[in-house]
Amino acid sequence: MTPVAPDLTIRTAGDADWPAIGLIGATGFGIWRPEERVQVWRSMMPPDSAVVACDGDEVVGVALFMDLQLTVPGGAVLPMAGVSFVAVLPTHRRRGALTAMFTELHRRMGDYPVAGLEASEAEIYGRFGYGPATVWERQSVERERARFRPEVPDPGGVRVVRPAEHRAQLESIYERWRLHTPGGLHTPERLWDEILTDRPESRAGGSAFFCLLHPDGFVMYRVHTGERKDRAEVTKLAAVTPQAYAALWRALLGLDLVATIEIETHPGALLPYLLTDARLVRVTGVEDGLWLRMLDIPAVLQARTYGADLSVVLDISDGVLGGGGRFALQVRDGRARCEPTDAPADVHTDLSVLGSLYLGTHRASTFAAANRLRADPGVIRALDAAFVSDVPAQLGYGF
Ligand SMILES: CC(C)(COP(=O)(O)OP(=O)(O)OC[C@H]1O[C@@H](n2cnc3c(N)ncnc32)[C@H](O)[C@@H]1OP(=O)(O)O)[C@@H](O)C(=O)NCCC(=O)NCCS
């Protein structure tokens, strides 16, 4: 493990540290975030939830968490410590600043049962017990040739609206969507304010938001012109019913002057199944989304519902931060009981793998084949059957 350089100290970030934190974040990510956006994130942080690493008086690293609410399979909602703004100045890399800040930050998470983050790079967070739990699949739809299959419903009901004028409907549909979707996150009012302010610097060269609204779903998108052909980039599609999903895609595919429509969705999304030519929906990228670390393993495992009965003892290792342990997990009729035990274990794996299984996106059998989970074949089959999720997991929003 990287030793912490003796000249680095870790302490709580105070108000006076925020200019330095802004500079470290901008340097780390190569983006100057608008001050208003930073203020929104700050409004979502509990007290003392930001730590800084200092070299003498100079602030050289930062890590913090926000108070988020995560939907899990079955619709329960868990308080989640949403880790964000993690960066160390290039002058102080690989001296243990991240490890020291993370050790302190996780000590401060108190009663949060679970922590989550999005990773800039895939090699950083596994050592801290985080595992990728949702997947973003980037799709590009060749709109001009796309036709719906005859049996696909054409329910209509979509209106073209200005999003800020329909905030109450957008909020209420999003709320239904996030409570139904594992990985969904509650959106606080200040974050809605920020989204609907639609700052030009957040548009990545695209237009202001366009919005398609249905009683059970909405789409927000931007159009990128000035390229060879226009391209629409969907920033949010929230559909609570398959009818709303089909109606919204019919409206999107009616954008005559747009050649391609791009969207980030979950693997197995419905659109290719609706079209006469499924190949017009090309997968152009796949990336991990939300990463999860269980802080209270029994509470988290008991919160979700399961697809099949299960009776196992899990032996969970957690190298750097020292969580993990041995737990008896019993599932009957979809509900789990989980408690610490000394009984011999049937399943040996590490906490990051358990995080990856939790929302049903990844399978135990895949980790077993990769030698990252050890259990008898019958137990692996039982884990696969139990940890499925009827609703595919999808991260509510980036944080
Ligand atoms: C990622 C970052 C915060 C790491 O900070 P750091 O202080 O250099 O990390 P540490 O010295 O504590 O390293 C801890 C361990 O993680 C490893 N590690 C750190 N960053 C890594 C990376 N980007 N890729 C692979 N391994 C990495 C180190 O090699 C070290 O491993 P070891 O214990 O086996 O020696 C820093 O490089 C950074 O600010 N990057 C740019 C911004 C960014 O990507 N932030 C993360 C946002 S999600």
Side-chain angles (χ1 to χ4, degrees), residues 2 86-88 93-96 98-99 118 120-121 125 127:
T2 313
V86 177
V88 173
R93 292 278 150 81
R94 309 301 179 261
R95 292 164 62 175
L98 170 67
T99 310
E118 288 177 283
S120 59
E121 294 178 278
Y125 295 109
R127 76 190 64 228

Side-chain angles (χ1 to χ4, degrees), residues 66-146:
M66 293 179 281
D67 179 40
L68 302 180
Q69 293 177 41
L70 172 76
T71 304
V72 304
V77 174
L78 287 176
M80 180 171 83
V83 175
S84 188
F85 237 97
V86 177
V88 173
L89 284 178
T91 49
H92 286 72
R93 292 278 150 81
R94 309 301 179 261
R95 292 164 62 175
L98 170 67
T99 310
M101 289 191 298
F102 253 43
T103 304
E104 178 57 23
L105 199 69
H106 286 78
R107 207 182 55 72
R108 293 174 182 221
M109 287 176 186
D111 292 338
Y112 282 94
V114 65
L117 53 78
E118 288 177 283
S120 59
E121 294 178 278
E123 280 187 295
I124 305 174
Y125 295 109
R127 76 190 64 228
F128 298 113
Y130 286 82
T134 69
V135 168
W136 285 121
E137 185 173 282
R138 191 166 177 80
Q139 298 180 342
S140 177
V141 186
E142 221 181 294
R143 190 209 63 83
E144 287 156 305
R145 291 175 48 217

Side-chain angles (χ1 to χ4, degrees), residues 145-169:
R145 291 175 48 217
R147 303 281 173 271
F148 284 88
R149 296 177 63 89
E151 59 273 55
V152 173
D154 187 1
V158 175
R159 297 164 60 205
V160 178
V161 300
R162 293 177 196 271
E165 293 171 6
H166 294 265
R167 173 171 174 153
Q169 282 134 293

